[in-house]
Amino acid sequence: MAVSHPIFARVFARASVVMDRAGAAAHRRRLVAGLRGRVVEVGAGNGRNLPHYPPTVTGVLAVEPESRLRDIVRAAAPAAPVPVTVAAGLAEALPVADASADAVVLSLVLCSVPDQAAALREARRVLRPGGELRFYEHVVAETPGLRRAQRLADATLWPLCCAGCHTARDTVAAIRAAGFTVTELDRFRFPPTGMPGPASPHVLGRAVGP
């Protein structure tokens, strides 16, 4: 299935650079710290995680459905500190064999996948026994006022302007419902200053399958 969001792809590619300078780069480093073996990164975007993979990773399969972002990842791959292969694919149908990955990385992608449960089932399928899920996502707010703002954003223009992104998803609950055990979880607001927007509540964590 071809995925094309040309305007969003250009905006996202520029915005992610700004986000990294504002502190997201540190979150990306934490996201992949300590990983080993073969990693599948789902929704690799424009490849901003790639520079942070540790040398203990033997290879990354960067799966990205959007054609323009995939071209950016492919251009960035040779400069990565670990071997990177770039592939087209959807989170709900990964081009990966069963139980073949040591880790699956999900970074700012579960907000926009059409079917969170299916994407997480795929992550379970491709993980080997004892494999680890790493996630860095913006999620539903813990405060009622911001949750109302998120529901309003999701019901109006936000998903249309942001390639299907939804701000009010309870992604941590979805990860647990998929059979994962969350072993580490950090909740924070990003950007850390200014008025909190619909996409400001974030989580960064780790989970293991059954």
Side-chain angles (χ1 to χ4, degrees):
M1 177 181 176
V3 175
S4 180
H5 298 291
I7 296 174
F8 173 78
R10 287 194 292 270
V11 172
F12 178 80
R14 295 188 183 101
S16 62
V17 175
V18 176
M19 290 166 58
D20 278 5
R21 291 172 180 163
H27 303 154
R28 297 183 193 279
R29 281 193 293 273
R30 288 174 58 201
L31 174 68
V32 301
L35 287 177
R36 296 176 177 273
R38 185 173 185 236
V39 176
V40 176
E41 182 173 338
V42 182
N46 58 333
R48 300 297 294 185
N49 291 330
L50 297 184
H52 304 294
Y53 279 100
T56 46
V57 169
T58 56
V60 174
L61 176 65
V63 180
E64 173 53 50
E66 211 289 325
S67 58
R68 288 159 184 81
L69 292 175
R70 192 166 60 249
D71 288 342
I72 299 174
V73 179
R74 192 169 284 117
V82 298
V84 177
T85 303
V86 181
L90 300 176
E92 299 92 338
L94 295 172
V96 183
D98 294 358
S100 61
D102 296 292
V104 170
V105 171
L106 297 163
S107 175
L108 303 177
V109 64
L110 289 176
C111 59
S112 59
V113 295
D115 189 336
Q116 267 195 339
L120 289 164
R121 282 196 300 271
E122 275 292 271
R124 272 187 58 181
R125 178 185 68 80
V126 305
L127 275 173
R128 65 165 178 77
E132 192 172 41
L133 183 76
R134 299 285 186 95
F135 54 95
Y136 168 41
E137 300 284 345
H138 67 82
V139 296
V140 66
E142 295 186 285
T143 56
L146 189 50
R147 280 201 301 269
R148 286 193 293 271
Q150 289 177 323
R151 288 196 294 269
L152 178 62
D154 289 355
T156 52
L157 292 177
W158 192 282
L160 181 63
C161 296
C162 299
C165 172
H166 290 75
T167 63
R169 288 183 172 177
D170 192 346
T171 297
V172 176
I175 289 169
R176 289 179 170 133
F180 289 96
T181 299
V182 175
T183 59
E184 185 176 309
L185 181 65
D186 182 18
R187 292 184 181 269
F188 55 94
R189 182 159 63 91
F190 183 79
T193 59
M195 285 290 291
S200 59
H202 282 63
V203 294
L204 196 157
R206 308 180 183 195
V208 293

